[in-house]
Structure formats: C-alpha cells, structure tokens
Amino acid sequence: MKDDTPNLMRTQRLGLLTQHEAIVLVRADCPVCRSEGVGPHSQVTLTHGDKSVVATLYQVTEDWLPVGTAGITESAWERLGLEDGALIRITQTPPPASLAYVRQRIFEDGLTEAQIRAIVKDIVDERYSDIHLTAFVTACAARPLATREVISLTRAMIDTGDRIDWGVTPVADKHCVGGLPANRTTPIVVSIVAANGLLIPKTSSRAITSPAGTADTMETLTRVDLDQADLRRVIKAEGGCFIWGAAVNFSPADRAIIRIERALSFDSAGSLVASVLSKKIAAGATHVVIDIPVGPTAKVRNSQQARELADLFTTVASTFGLALRIEITDGTQPIGRGIGPALEALDVLAVLKRAPDAPQDLRDKAIRLAGAVLELTGKAAAGEGEALAAETLDSGKAWDKFLAICKAQGGVFEPPVAKFQRPVNATRSGRVSAIDNQRLARVAKLAGAPDDKAAGLDLHVHIGDCVQQGDPLYTLHTESIGELTYVLDYVTTNPDIIELTR
Amino acid sequence: MKDDTPNLMRTQRLGLLTQHEAIVLVRADCPVCRSEGVGPHSQVTLTHGDKSVVATLYQVTEDWLPVGTAGITESAWERLGLEDGALIRITQTPPPASLAYVRQRIFEDGLTEAQIRAIVKDIVDERYSDIHLTAFVTACAARPLATREVISLTRAMIDTGDRIDWGVTPVADKHCVGGLPANRTTPIVVSIVAANGLLIPKTSSRAITSPAGTADTMETLTRVDLDQADLRRVIKAEGGCFIWGAAVNFSPADRAIIRIERALSFDSAGSLVASVLSKKIAAGATHVVIDIPVGPTAKVRNSQQARELADLFTTVASTFGLALRIEITDGTQPIGRGIGPALEALDVLAVLKRAPDAPQDLRDKAIRLAGAVLELTGKAAAGEGEALAAETLDSGKAWDKFLAICKAQGGVFEPPVAKFQRPVNATRSGRVSAIDNQRLARVAKLAGAPDDKAAGLDLHVHIGDCVQQGDPLYTLHTESIGELTYVLDYVTTNPDIIELTR
C-alpha cells in the first residue's frame, strides 16, 4: 500500500508492564507518524515476520527514546517474538469491519450468526479497543440477547478457541452463577466426583466482581496457572482438577469480555450463559450441573429471574447436545464462613478433613451439588446421589482425592494469614433477620480481597442466630493498617449489613 | 488513610504525548504499588498541591526509569502544574460512585436528574475511564433517553462548564444535525447574520464521523483554536465567529462523550440534542435554527425520524426558554462540491465571493438557513428572511464580514492543495439516480480527510445529471500515493456509490 521505508523501525524493549494492553512509543518527529497519518492514541498494527499485534501508539518528545526507534511494551514484545534491535513495521489499523454490527446491535436489530462470529473473531484477534468491546458488552446487556443470539455467541466463542475431546462419556462439570460470597463448593464437589471415578475437567475463574473466585481460593492451596498440557495430564491421572481457566485457551473471547464486565461490575444473562457454556463445551464436558442461588441480594433476585435464566441455560445447552441440570439454591446469605481467598480455602479444608467445626451449610451444599452431578451422569440412581456424595466425603476418599489433585498440580500449600484481625461487633442485641450479600462482599473487597490473598472477613452468624450487643458478627482480616481504617469507615457507616430485629 | 511515606514520589517529565489520556510510569518494585495495591493498568489519582489528575499506571522493569521516580505524560504534567523533581502523591482511585447509575441505566430504569448530574460531574472530573464512558454512551443509545432524561442531561452539561451571558437579546445560533458530506453552510450563514448586526457566537466541532467538521474546514482559512477571551473579543468586534468549540469550556462533558462516539462512529438522538443545546445555551444563544437533512443515506433517514428528533429538540429547547426553529432539508445528496476540509473551504469562498461557478445548491441552502435565523430573531419579517439574506450575500456585505471575522481571529489563510489528484470516471452512460452519502464520505476519509486538510474529493455530478461513460464523476485528492492506491481499491469495489440508470 505505502512506501516501505518510513514505517520500518528498530525496536527497543522498554520493560513496560501494561497487563493486556500493547503500547508502542515513537518520537513525535518520526516519519512513520506522517506517512501513516497516526497521532497520539492511534491504533496501529505492529508486524514482525508473520506475527502482528494491535497496539496504541504514543509519541515522545524527549531524547530518552532515540529517533527511528520504537519502544515496545512487554506483552507486545513477547507476542511478536522480538529480540533487541529487531525491525518491525508500523501501519495504521483501520477500525474493525465488524463494528458496523455492534452499531446495528445498539440501534436496530439482533445479529445473525455470521455477524456475531465476525465480532467474536475480531475480539479474539485483538482488533477491538476497550471502547469497541465495551459498546458490544453494554449493547448485549441493555438490549438483551435473543436466545438464538446466545446460541450463536456460544458457538462463535467455542470455535475461536481450543477444544478438548476426551473420547469418553460422561465428562462432568459444574458451575455456580455466583453473587453469593464464600459459597466455595467447587473444590469439594470436584473431589467427590473425581473420587467416584468420573472425569471433571473443571476450570475456574478469578473474581469478576466478588471478593474471590475459585481460582483465587485454590491458588492459596496449590498451583492453578497450568496450561492445557498440564490440564490433560492432571485429568488423566486424577479425573479432576482445580485450574485457572485463563492459561488454557478455551473461549478466549470470554477473557476480553469478562475484563470489561469486571471494570463495570456487571454481567448480563445472555453473555453469562454464553461464557459459561462455551467454556464447558470447549473443555469437553458432556454433563453439567448449574447452581443458581436466589436471594434478594444475590445475583439472581427472585424465582422468576431464576426460571428465565434456567430456561436460557437449558435451551442453549440442548442445542449443543449437553446434558444439563439446574439446581436453584438458597441465596439469602453466604455459604460457609470465610469471605476472601485464603479464608474460603480454610472452610474448604475443614469440610474435606471433616473437622468438627466445619461449616455445615457448605458441607450440605457441596453434597447436594455433587449428588446432582453423580445422578446426572448416571453414577448414582435418581434420589441416591446425595447419599453417595456424603459417603465419599465421610470415608475420607474426597480428601484423599483433593490432596492427589493438588500434588499433581504442583503441591499443597498452606493458606496465608492476614497481619491484622479486627472483630466487628453487634451494636445491639437481636435476631439476625437478613444479610446483605453485596455489601458484605464489598467489605471483604475493601479489606483487600482478592488481591491480598489473606484479606477478607470471617462471618460468625447466620440468619436466625440470636446475638447480644457486643457479640462479634464478623472478623475483618487485612494486610495493612491503611486498609483496616478504610474498611472500618465503611462498616461504621453501614451498620445494617447484618440486620438485627428484636 | 494510608501511611504517607511510600506514595510520595519524585516526578520526571517523559515528553510523552498521549492526547487526553494521563499515564504515570513507576518501577514495578516501587513501594507505592504494594502499599496502594495497584498493578499495571490500575487507575490512580496523582495529587500535587491542590491539583489532582486521574491516570493509568503502568510498571517499568528496566533501569531507564529510576526507582522512586514517577514518569509523567505531558497532559498530566501540565494539568498538575509540575516542575521537574516535584513530588506527587499516588493513590488508588476507587471506581466512581455514579457507576451504579450507569448500571441502573443499562438494566433497569431511566435516571433522575440527580443521578444524571452525578454521572456528568464524574465525567467532567475525569473519573470515568474509557470503559465507563462507553458503557454510559452505549446505554443511552441502546435504551434511548426519555425526554426528561435529555433535559436533565442538557442541564447537567451546561452547569458543569462555563456559560456566557451577552446581556442582550436576541443572540442567534445555528446547527446542522449532519450526516451529509460537504454541506458547509455555517461560515456563509454566520457571515450573513453577523453582517445584519446580530450576535452569532457560533462554535463548531471537528469531524466526529464525517470527512470534515466546520472547525476542520475553517482551520484552512483562519485560526480556530481560540479561547473564551478571544471568543468574547471577536464577537464584540464582529458579531460572529468561526471558533473550534474545544478550547472554550462550554459543556466539557460533551467533549468526552463525543470522543467515545467518534471511536464508535455513532451518536443517539438524546445525546445529540443534549450535546447541541447544552453548547448553544452555554454560549449564550437565545434563538437557534436547527437544520435536519433527511435522506436514505443521511443521518436522519425519513420524515418520521426527522419529526421525532425535531419534537425532542423543540421540547428540550422550550424547557430552557430557547426560541427554536427547525428546518427539515433535502438530505439525498451532498450540498456543494468539495468533501474534505480544504475542498469545502473553496466552495465556501466561491459562494461568498459570488464566483460564477459557485455551487448553487450551497448558496441556496445557506440563504435558506440564514433567512430562517433572520426571521426567528425578528430581523426580517416572516417570509422576508431569504430575500434579506440573498441581498446581504449579493451586495458583498457577507464577504466583507467573513474577512473581518477571519482577521479578528488571526488572519486569512489560503487552503492547501493536495499533491495527487485523480478522477473517478463513469463506467457506463446514464442518469445519476442516487448518491450514497455515507460511502462517499468514506471515500473522502480513505483519501485522508479530515487529518490531511487538503485530502478528500470534488464531486462533479448531482442527482438528475446525465453522464457519458468515461465522464469524471468525482476527483480524488490525496497527499500520498499510498492513500491514493488505498482509496482506489475501495472505489473499484464500490462502483455504485453514484448510481446511474439508463
């Protein structure tokens, strides 16, 4: 297209860490800016050999970057496979053609399968800026995706990533729709199911809007950042795993979408179903149990919403030949005591080790979900799944399986303990009549979870408990005095997170 | 909140041009990252004295940035008023509280005046990232703003910026909803209206999705990047002006919103009305004419849409006591010949100088709109505005006023001429039956407009003209062979932009 000379530049590694975002710095008086018509904040394509990366270009007016040199961030450096001094080509990136479909989605009609596929492909190819991605994500929330669009989105997300075929049936999996703090059933369910000889290649996410995701919790107990080869090895050896889903390339579009949803603290039914099912199907699951907690402060607020979400899951799953069972569960309060990665890990260990003070509600719920998996896969007859799950837990077989999986993943770690602990006490006597999941999650996040693994809170009461004025309701765990002060401010101005009635 | 020591850092000016975005670079092993819990791509607040800026933090692992030093981009450096070595405080920026209202707008109901005001204030205070801004902009498009929300948004956008009271009535203004290439009536209308002794403090924008905005065009003829003091001076001296709206602080939220809409190539009726009227009211206008071109490839597609938009403009304007007149005009084809900043400027000059080959359609439309302004303000009786406008033009008074305004703004320039010109010829004989405004605009943009001032195209035909095979339909103007090749590719694959029927 253009003259070749001016847009070839010598590269310099900047050691600049920008997370996902690729950035290139060039001198403001650099010929490439003129010949390509790019200015500060332009989207450009960096090409080296057969590899290319879309980057944001910024200009430098000072001498620390030589003229004719392109300064490159770490993620772009690695993706391009550069060595110092290597030449790259810089060209202007036109807006992705599929952006027309995003506009159509905002103003007019739903999209065809081909249009959704074009959007997802451009997302996976990293042609979408944060602005483009956010417009798509928001449009799918403000004007909810039709069922056929969710099916198209799911298929496109599967097809643009890797997919495993285990060569056997059933392959089990489970997922919780979330919105409930603590509720860390996954490691227990996986251990019970795998101990019964089933394959359950469960990958987990980090927190999106919550104080901890299963991957955050399990990271305090074992290595979770394993790749697809490790996943295959661990599953072949032990049947189950606790792996962070990011390093395996299932549904890569989902990562980009979730990053935006995290920044906005929301997700929508359609993108949730596509996200969950695309990852399950790509991981080779054939039988999946979905837990939908319902409560006034959970993600799903009432049984009407739960039924609609369950219907969407069921319809989309059946299109892909996936056997699905929905469990609608109590979402009025947290399950377990700990809220935050390490504190939740301690609950999981207590249940698996059958500790006398293990949280009963977490044990009950894990047994219910594991029982559902065992029945759905035919491992237990209808109505007998829970008994088999309880037996697997009580016999120690689940604990043995848990340890075996952790060892296969790289070892068993001790969860960290936070430097500072401070109880939050009841300001009057009464009976616990309600717990606000969302504000309690916010307390745990203000305390530092999930970035500080040991941070969060330990909940001492459940709905129906009677407390005296001065009794501890929960204990804050933080790694710094600063955070402790900060979270105490919030707690003091929100005395009704745990509601007490006389 | 936190210990004071680790988050105070010495600053270093990087000479890094990033347009609007503030960026701070720190070493990855820097204590501030640990104490504040920030990682790459975190939003942080930089504070120096009583000034603060929200910035994106990136981490550096290499020695070119010393430990304990914060590298600062130019825009942040200037906004903080720093000198080299000055100390700044870096703290984590919590997500803006008004983001809850953005989520509410996406999933539930419309917003109250107070909620919209909170969002607009956070936008003006630069607390919104591109992701936050895009979610708001998209939500207001996908679930259109109710009239009362548009009124609230308009009021919030006025109140968060500067506002001029000229102390007289009437103060005129005009605006074209756009979507039509060329159509550069503003400089002519302003010259006619000001020549009749009226105040018309017109500020203009650069192109959002088009090949040129009035500010882009006028920049080839005079200085347009003037501030509010200049605006007052020019208006007091000459009555009219051709000033780029960005340097005057009217409706600053609008700038951020338009930047997002530009990246997405859309705007929505509600945000359009709020954007236009907030700027007019802030500039002190009391009488405003709005031009809505209607055509199958214009921004407004049919008379139904035009009526809805006109109603919204009228309702919102009357809430603010603004006298408004809507002119619904022909939007089936470009007005004038040139498409692109300098080429449109040449059309404007031809009409003002009464050149024999001046485009008649541009002259007619400018007279119609100027006539509407003269009637709305009472300068002409009903039905007599166009005659007065034509007389002002034909007598040379408009041209004299144009030159006087340009001189007051800093001089009269000669528009640049592009290096390369190439005609695009009719591939067969026939009558021009339709012109696709959008694809023709795209041709002009691919040729380099509006960034290359001289780039774009000159249109030689209008609907109804008969052409022979080989006759030039339009001439491409580009600054590089690369762009010429690129745009010819597009033209060749889109031979029906100008439709010919036998």
Side-chain angles (χ1 to χ4, degrees):
Chain A
M1 294 286 168
K2 309 264 180 162
D3 303 6
D4 276 357
T5 336
N7 57 4
L8 262 189
M9 293 190 76
R10 197 160 297 281
T11 53
Q12 179 179 326
R13 187 172 195 159
L14 294 173
L16 190 58
L17 306 176
T18 53
Q19 214 182 33
H20 65 285
E21 194 182 355
I23 290 179
V24 58
L25 304 184
V26 298
R27 284 288 286 267
D29 45 1
C30 169
V32 70
C33 297
R34 176 72 218 141
S35 77
E36 285 291 315
V38 296
H41 221 261
S42 289
Q43 292 294 107
V44 295
T45 303
L46 312 180
T47 310
H48 177 67
D50 59 350
K51 292 183 182 143
S52 69
V53 162
V54 174
T56 304
L57 178 138
Y58 294 121
Q59 296 180 340
V60 175
T61 58
E62 304 277 325
D63 284 342
W64 60 268
L65 188 75
V67 177
T69 300
I72 309 279
T73 50
E74 289 301 290
S75 63
W77 189 271
E78 278 157 25
R79 280 188 274 159
L80 289 169
L82 295 176
E83 287 171 25
D84 243 322
L87 294 178
I88 56 164
R89 184 180 306 281
I90 302 184
T91 48
Q92 193 173 1
T93 310
S98 67
L99 211 52
Y101 308 139
V102 174
R103 284 192 291 271
Q104 178 183 332
R105 190 71 190 55
I106 294 171
F107 288 101
E108 298 167 34
D109 304 313
L111 301 178
T112 65
E113 172 122 13
Q115 290 170 331
I116 289 178
R117 185 171 292 267
I119 291 172
V120 170
K121 181 154 190 339
D122 277 339
I123 292 173
V124 171
D125 291 346
E126 303 189 340
R127 288 181 209 279
Y128 269 38
S129 70
D130 282 0
I131 292 176
H132 302 150
L133 270 169
T134 306
F136 177 62
V137 166
T138 305
C140 296
R143 294 172 64 141
L145 291 164
T147 302
R148 56 164 190 77
E149 291 182 297
V150 179
I151 292 168
S152 300
L153 182 59
T154 307
R155 186 172 289 124
M157 288 167 83
I158 296 167
D159 291 350
T160 46
D162 293 340
R163 187 167 178 176
I164 294 186
D165 182 351
W166 296 99
V168 294
T169 293
V171 175
D173 212 333
K174 65 83 68 178
H175 180 83
C176 176
V177 161
L180 214 54
N183 192 31
R184 196 55 57 214
T185 57
T186 292
I188 308 168
V189 173
V190 166
S191 302
I192 294 172
V193 170
N196 279 287
L198 285 165
L199 294 196
I200 180 164
K202 166 89 181 132
T203 63
S204 300
S205 57
R206 295 190 186 275
I208 300 176
T209 60
S210 72
T214 294
D216 299 307
T217 293
M218 285 309 302
E219 196 169 38
T220 71
L221 294 167
T222 187
R223 274 195 59 198
V224 299
D225 58 332
L226 304 181
D227 62 17
Q228 211 179 103
D230 286 323
L231 172 77
R232 287 174 187 271
R233 178 182 54 74
V234 174
I235 291 295
K236 290 220 161 123
E238 300 299 340
C241 67
F242 319 114
I243 284 180
W244 179 32
V248 294
N249 193 35
F250 301 144
S251 193
D254 186 53
R255 267 211 296 286
I257 291 170
I258 281 185
R259 184 170 59 76
I260 299 298
E261 290 178 340
R262 184 190 306 242
L264 293 168
S265 288
F266 76 67
D267 53 23
S268 61
S271 89
L272 172 69
V273 168
S275 163
V276 171
L277 294 186
S278 65
K279 284 182 287 191
K280 300 301 175 207
I281 294 165
T286 59
H287 292 67
V288 176
V289 170
I290 305 279
D291 170 22
I292 304 182
V294 180
T297 58
K299 185 178 283 180
V300 176
R301 301 299 170 91
N302 53 51
S303 52
Q304 159 87 10
Q305 264 186 29
R307 268 195 309 275
E308 285 171 12
L309 186 59
D311 286 349
L312 186 56
F313 263 116
T314 305
T315 307
V316 177
S318 77
T319 308
F320 291 92
L322 193 67
L324 192 85
R325 177 161 155 178
I326 302 277
E327 295 285 313
I328 292 182
T329 58
D330 176 17
T332 56
Q333 59 182 330
I335 301 289
R337 295 190 196 110
I339 303 178
L343 295 164
E344 295 176 26
L346 295 172
D347 280 357
V348 166
L349 292 178
V351 170
L352 284 167
K353 291 160 99 167
R354 292 144 290 148
D357 64 341
Q360 186 66 34
D361 57 346
L362 181 62
R363 176 188 152 94
D364 290 347
K365 183 156 178 189
I367 287 175
R368 174 173 171 186
L369 295 177
V373 173
L374 295 170
E375 291 178 10
L376 179 67
T377 54
K379 198 51 122 177
E384 293 174 13
E386 292 201 22
L388 176 56
E391 191 276 325
T392 312
L393 200 53
D394 290 334
S395 64
K397 282 186 252 169
W399 172 234
D400 292 344
K401 178 53 77 179
F402 178 87
L403 290 174
I405 296 172
C406 287
K407 275 173 199 152
Q409 290 193 190
V412 188
F413 313 154
E414 195 73 32
V417 177
K419 279 207 200 91
F420 302 93
Q421 276 112 42
R422 168 72 86 84
V424 174
N425 299 329
T427 51
R428 62 193 188 87
S429 303
R431 203 180 59 84
V432 176
S433 58
I435 298 180
D436 186 327
N437 289 313
Q438 297 203 331
R439 282 189 290 162
L440 201 62
R442 184 153 167 75
V443 169
K445 288 197 283 181
L446 290 173
D451 291 334
D452 289 342
K453 294 285 176 203
L457 63 90
D458 236 343
L459 184 64
H460 305 310
V461 295
H462 276 88
I463 291 175
D465 290 355
C466 287
V467 296
Q468 299 299 312
Q469 186 178 352
D471 281 357
L473 298 174
Y474 52 92
T475 300
L476 301 168
H477 293 240
T478 72
E479 291 284 29
S480 80
I481 290 286
E483 267 148 341
L484 189 58
T485 316
Y486 198 53
V487 65
L488 281 171
D489 275 357
Y490 183 79
V491 164
T492 310
T493 52
N494 288 270
D496 57 339
I497 293 174
I498 294 180
E499 219 168 274
L500 298 172
T501 51
R502 296 205 183 258
Chain B
M1 295 284 166
K2 308 261 181 169
D3 302 7
D4 276 356
T5 335
N7 56 5
L8 262 189
M9 294 190 76
R10 196 160 298 279
T11 53
Q12 179 180 325
R13 187 171 196 161
L14 294 173
L16 191 58
L17 306 176
T18 53
Q19 213 182 31
H20 66 285
E21 195 183 356
I23 290 179
V24 57
L25 304 184
V26 298
R27 285 286 287 266
D29 45 3
C30 169
V32 70
C33 297
R34 175 72 215 138
S35 77
E36 286 290 315
V38 296
H41 222 262
S42 288
Q43 292 294 107
V44 296
T45 303
L46 312 180
T47 310
H48 177 68
D50 59 350
K51 293 183 181 145
S52 70
V53 162
V54 174
T56 304
L57 179 140
Y58 295 120
Q59 296 179 339
V60 174
T61 58
E62 305 275 326
D63 284 341
W64 62 267
L65 188 76
V67 177
T69 300
I72 309 279
T73 50
E74 289 301 291
S75 64
W77 189 271
E78 278 157 27
R79 279 189 275 159
L80 289 169
L82 295 176
E83 288 171 24
D84 242 321
L87 295 178
I88 57 164
R89 184 179 307 281
I90 301 185
T91 48
Q92 193 172 2
T93 310
S98 66
L99 210 52
Y101 309 139
V102 175
R103 284 190 292 270
Q104 179 183 330
R105 190 71 191 53
I106 294 171
F107 287 101
E108 296 167 35
D109 306 312
L111 301 178
T112 65
E113 171 122 14
Q115 290 170 329
I116 288 177
R117 187 171 290 267
I119 291 172
V120 170
K121 178 149 190 349
D122 278 339
I123 291 173
V124 172
D125 291 346
E126 304 191 336
R127 289 181 208 280
Y128 270 38
S129 70
D130 282 1
I131 292 176
H132 302 149
L133 271 170
T134 307
F136 177 63
V137 165
T138 306
C140 295
R143 295 171 63 142
L145 291 165
T147 302
R148 57 164 189 77
E149 290 181 298
V150 179
I151 292 168
S152 301
L153 182 59
T154 307
R155 187 172 290 126
M157 288 167 84
I158 297 167
D159 291 349
T160 47
D162 293 340
R163 186 166 177 176
I164 293 185
D165 182 351
W166 296 98
V168 293
T169 293
V171 176
D173 213 334
K174 64 83 70 178
H175 181 84
C176 176
V177 162
L180 214 54
N183 193 30
R184 196 54 58 213
T185 57
T186 292
I188 307 169
V189 173
V190 166
S191 302
I192 294 172
V193 170
N196 279 287
L198 285 165
L199 294 195
I200 180 163
K202 166 89 181 133
T203 62
S204 301
S205 56
R206 294 190 186 276
I208 299 176
T209 60
S210 71
T214 293
D216 299 307
T217 293
M218 285 310 303
E219 198 170 34
T220 70
L221 293 167
T222 186
R223 273 195 60 201
V224 299
D225 58 333
L226 304 182
D227 62 16
Q228 216 180 98
D230 287 323
L231 172 76
R232 287 173 188 269
R233 178 181 54 75
V234 174
I235 291 294
K236 290 219 162 125
E238 300 298 341
C241 67
F242 319 114
I243 285 180
W244 180 32
V248 294
N249 193 35
F250 302 143
S251 192
D254 185 54
R255 268 210 295 286
I257 291 170
I258 281 186
R259 185 170 57 76
I260 300 299
E261 290 178 340
R262 185 191 306 245
L264 294 168
S265 289
F266 76 68
D267 52 25
S268 61
S271 90
L272 172 69
V273 169
S275 163
V276 170
L277 294 185
S278 66
K279 283 182 286 191
K280 301 299 176 209
I281 294 166
T286 59
H287 292 68
V288 176
V289 170
I290 305 279
D291 168 22
I292 305 181
V294 180
T297 59
K299 187 179 282 179
V300 176
R301 302 300 171 92
N302 53 51
S303 52
Q304 158 87 10
Q305 265 186 31
R307 268 194 309 274
E308 285 171 13
L309 186 59
D311 286 350
L312 186 57
F313 263 116
T314 305
T315 307
V316 176
S318 76
T319 308
F320 291 92
L322 194 67
L324 194 86
R325 175 161 156 178
I326 302 276
E327 293 285 313
I328 293 182
T329 58
D330 175 17
T332 55
Q333 59 182 328
I335 303 288
R337 295 188 195 113
I339 302 177
L343 295 164
E344 295 176 25
L346 294 174
D347 281 356
V348 166
L349 292 178
V351 170
L352 283 167
K353 291 160 98 165
R354 292 144 289 149
D357 64 341
Q360 185 67 32
D361 57 347
L362 180 63
R363 177 188 152 93
D364 290 347
K365 184 157 178 189
I367 287 175
R368 174 173 170 186
L369 295 177
V373 173
L374 295 170
E375 291 179 12
L376 180 67
T377 53
K379 200 50 127 179
E384 295 173 13
E386 292 200 21
L388 178 55
E391 190 277 324
T392 312
L393 200 54
D394 290 334
S395 65
K397 282 185 248 168
W399 172 234
D400 292 343
K401 178 55 76 177
F402 177 87
L403 290 174
I405 296 173
C406 287
K407 275 173 198 153
Q409 290 193 190
V412 189
F413 312 154
E414 194 73 31
V417 177
K419 280 208 200 89
F420 302 93
Q421 276 111 42
R422 168 74 87 85
V424 173
N425 300 329
T427 52
R428 61 192 187 87
S429 303
R431 202 180 59 85
V432 176
S433 57
I435 297 180
D436 187 326
N437 289 313
Q438 298 203 330
R439 281 189 290 162
L440 201 61
R442 185 154 165 73
V443 169
K445 289 197 283 182
L446 289 173
D451 291 333
D452 288 342
K453 293 287 175 201
L457 63 89
D458 235 343
L459 184 64
H460 306 309
V461 295
H462 276 87
I463 291 176
D465 290 354
C466 286
V467 296
Q468 298 300 314
Q469 186 176 350
D471 281 355
L473 298 173
Y474 52 93
T475 299
L476 301 169
H477 293 241
T478 72
E479 291 284 29
S480 78
I481 289 287
E483 267 148 342
L484 188 59
T485 317
Y486 198 53
V487 64
L488 280 172
D489 274 358
Y490 183 79
V491 164
T492 311
T493 53
N494 287 271
D496 57 340
I497 294 174
I498 293 181
E499 219 168 273
L500 298 173
T501 51
R502 292 199 189 265

